[in-house]
Every structure is written in structure tokens, then in C-alpha cells.
Amino acid sequence: MRSVSDADVDSRRELLRLTDGLRRAIGASVSLSLPAAELSELADRVDALASALGERSGRRPFARYGSFDPRDPNAMLPFSPVTGRYNALSPPIELELVEGAPPRIVGRVTFGSPYEGPPSSVHGSIIASAYDQVLAMAAIASDAAGPTATLTIHYRRRTPLDTPLRFEAWLDRIEGRKAFVRGSCHADGELVSEAEGLFVRFDAARMAWARAVDGS
């Protein structure tokens, strides 16, 4: 007889496979040039899948928020639109903690066609969302978690599509409840942008409230 934990592992694996399939479908959908009849057939199939998913949705399979795991920072926000492996809208950006003083968060990602802004370049708003997440995780890694108050990005040059990017973020300083975080992004070793973020640190009561709302 199979245990509950075995079933949970299997369910997560299949949910991840489903999400990866949806992510690939999004990528393919922005580059379709087909006759109307073929598009109609594909649209019917997608519509049927969307209906089947809608009929079965309504409850998260596990908590939206977890504890920070130095071994796997992505696991903290499984449904994030930026780093969530279980969200088909996310690339996702794969995060890594680099120990040090302060610790650094490194995010690696290659953005494809769905994220295009200027020709052959990543849309600026996508870069902003990446920084918001990566800088926030750097604050969390330094025990300075809290919501974003301000985010400033300096676009040094275009950020190319279909090119491995490396985001990096680290805590710069703390002033009371204010945490100042800095970050950078390189494409094949070339600096393409930099960022600064201000985060307002949560107090213990706020953290307890957030976990209670999530039911975790």
C-alpha cells in the first residue's frame, strides 16, 4: 500500500510536468503561422484542456508560501510568476544562495519570445519583475524580509532574448526597518542593468499574520 507521502511526491511531479507543458505551449503560441483550419483545430484542443482544468481547479495543492531554504530558494514561492516552478507564467528564474557576508542571491534565466519587448530584447517590465523578486530574496536571505517600497532600475544596454542571464542581489545596508538591496544583471558576462530596492522589514506580528492567512 502506498503512503500519503509517496502520493504527494507523485502529485507534485505530475503537476510540475503539467506546468512545464503549459509553459512550452505559451512559448509556441507566440510563433504560430498556420492556416485557419489548423489554428481552429488547435484552438479547440486548447479550449477543451482549459475547460478540463477549470472544472478541477479551485484549491491550491500546497501552501503558497514556505520557509526560506538555503538549499533551494525557489521552493519558498512555488507559485510566483517570476520564480515559481508551478506557475506556467514564470520562466522560471532559478535561484541559488551564495554564502558570504552578506549572502547573495543568484538568479539564472533565459527569456524566450513570450517576454520580448524591443526587437530581440527582453521587455523592461519583465526585467523589473525579475529584479523585484531577486532583490526581495536577497533581503530574506539576510533576515530582512518585507514588501518592496521602491525599486529603481538602471538599464545600461538592451537585454537580449534567448541568452543566458545572471541576476545577482545582495543586502547593502539596514536603517531601522528599512533594508536597502542592490543588484545587477549580466548577459554572457556583459553588464546590461543594475538595480536598487528599498524593502520595509516585517515585524514578527506581520509575519505571523501572513502565515495564518496562507494556512501554513
Side-chain angles (χ1 to χ4, degrees):
M1 185 173 183
R2 304 179 64 199
S3 68
V4 174
S5 59
D6 287 338
D8 182 64
V9 168
D10 287 351
S11 294
R12 289 195 182 211
R13 182 189 65 240
E14 293 307 309
L15 178 59
L16 188 61
R17 194 163 71 91
L18 184 152
T19 304
D20 285 341
L22 292 173
R23 189 177 290 117
R24 294 197 310 274
I26 291 172
S29 68
V30 299
S31 302
L32 287 178
S33 180
L34 298 171
E38 290 186 52
L39 289 172
S40 179
E41 178 189 355
L42 290 172
D44 287 343
R45 290 163 65 181
V46 170
D47 184 64
L49 175 60
S51 295
L53 292 172
E55 291 168 1
R56 293 165 172 80
S57 68
R59 183 174 179 271
R60 302 266 186 176
F62 43 86
R64 293 171 292 173
Y65 310 107
S67 299
F68 180 76
D69 184 351
R71 298 166 300 178
D72 183 13
N74 283 74
M76 183 177 183
L77 299 169
F79 301 104
S80 162
V82 180
T83 59
R85 297 188 180 115
Y86 297 92
N87 186 337
L89 293 179
S90 75
I93 297 176
E94 287 294 334
L95 302 175
E96 174 190 0
L97 174 68
V98 178
E99 297 287 355
R104 295 186 173 226
I105 290 290
V106 172
R108 295 181 174 86
V109 65
T110 298
F111 289 111
S113 296
Y115 305 98
E116 187 172 25
S120 301
S121 304
V122 183
H123 197 290
S125 67
I126 300 300
I127 298 168
S129 65
Y131 270 121
D132 191 26
Q133 183 78 77
V134 176
L135 268 63
M137 294 301 291
I140 291 169
S142 291
D143 295 321
T148 310
T150 63
L151 178 65
T152 302
I153 302 170
H154 305 278
Y155 297 97
R156 304 304 185 190
R157 49 183 51 84
R158 77 177 189 89
T159 304
L161 287 177
D162 302 315
T163 301
L165 304 177
R166 176 189 170 95
F167 287 86
E168 189 166 350
W170 59 94
L171 179 69
D172 183 49
R173 66 189 188 279
I174 291 177
E175 296 177 2
R177 289 189 60 198
K178 297 179 180 179
F180 296 85
V181 185
R182 300 179 66 85
S184 63
C185 178
H186 290 77
D188 280 343
E190 180 181 41
L191 179 68
V192 292
S193 61
E194 296 176 283
E196 299 120 26
L198 166 61
F199 299 84
V200 180
R201 301 167 66 195
F202 280 139
D203 56 26
R206 181 71 174 178
M207 290 294 288
W209 172 83
R211 291 192 176 278
V213 168
D214 191 47
S216 57

